[in-house]
Amino acid sequence: MDDRVKVFERAKELLLGHDMMGFADLWAVDGTMEFPFAPSGRPRLLEGREAVRAYVRDYTDHIDLRAVAHEVVHLTEDPGVLIVEFSMDAVAVGTGRPLRPGYVAVITVRDGEIASYRDYWNPLMLDEMSFGSEEGRTHG
């Protein structure tokens, strides 16, 4: 199996297992995570594994990812880059409301680790998860 795909498969396994620290450990020490569509007040760039770790630390307090609902993997001509379109079946922890967040991720893998992860997610999902309120907001 292609290294890029192996890393993404492992990321899904960790997310579905609610192992956010394991998920963050997939990043290279100097790896980045970007959110080009992040709304005001939310981080747009995380630099380094420790920043990713701090950002995802309480993720499962807000969203319970349960299954991959849809997935399309695009292997690029660059042997380190993978583009993935996927959605997850999930539940907003604060409300019990079912969710189906969708993502397009551009992932660069270097030496079996994530060097760059650009996450094109829909920030409107925050309202459905209580992230819009102070008590539900996390600070990454």
Side-chain angles (χ1 to χ4, degrees):
M1 181 185 295
D2 185 291
D3 271 355
R4 300 168 289 184
V5 175
K6 282 182 191 174
V7 169
F8 179 67
E9 290 296 321
R10 182 69 179 140
K12 286 188 310 184
E13 179 182 305
L14 292 163
L15 288 170
L16 291 171
H18 304 130
D19 183 353
M20 300 313 291
M21 294 304 99
F23 177 71
D25 286 343
L26 293 174
W27 263 255
V29 170
D30 63 343
T32 60
M33 187 173 206
E34 296 179 66
F35 307 98
F37 297 144
S40 177
R42 303 284 302 168
R44 288 187 183 257
L45 176 64
L46 305 173
E47 296 182 271
R49 181 186 298 144
E50 291 308 314
V52 173
R53 182 183 304 283
Y55 181 78
V56 301
R57 179 168 279 118
D58 65 350
Y59 189 82
T60 57
D61 292 344
H62 303 284
I63 187 167
D64 177 8
L65 299 173
R66 301 215 169 152
V68 175
H70 169 77
E71 176 183 317
V72 179
V73 175
H74 304 277
L75 296 175
T76 69
E77 289 184 22
D78 182 326
V81 178
L82 177 72
I83 299 170
V84 184
E85 303 171 68
F86 64 107
S87 62
M88 306 284 276
D89 286 331
V91 173
V93 172
T95 64
R97 195 171 171 185
L99 301 171
R100 184 166 281 174
Y103 309 89
V104 174
V106 180
I107 305 166
T108 301
V109 174
R110 178 184 68 225
D111 299 326
E113 296 179 313
I114 297 172
S116 171
Y117 189 111
R118 278 179 296 174
D119 191 355
Y120 295 91
W121 60 284
N122 181 353
L124 296 175
M125 178 181 72
L126 294 174
D127 292 337
E128 297 180 43
M129 292 172 36
S130 302
F131 272 107
S133 62
E134 262 319 296
E135 66 273 3
R137 181 166 293 168
T138 61
H139 301 281

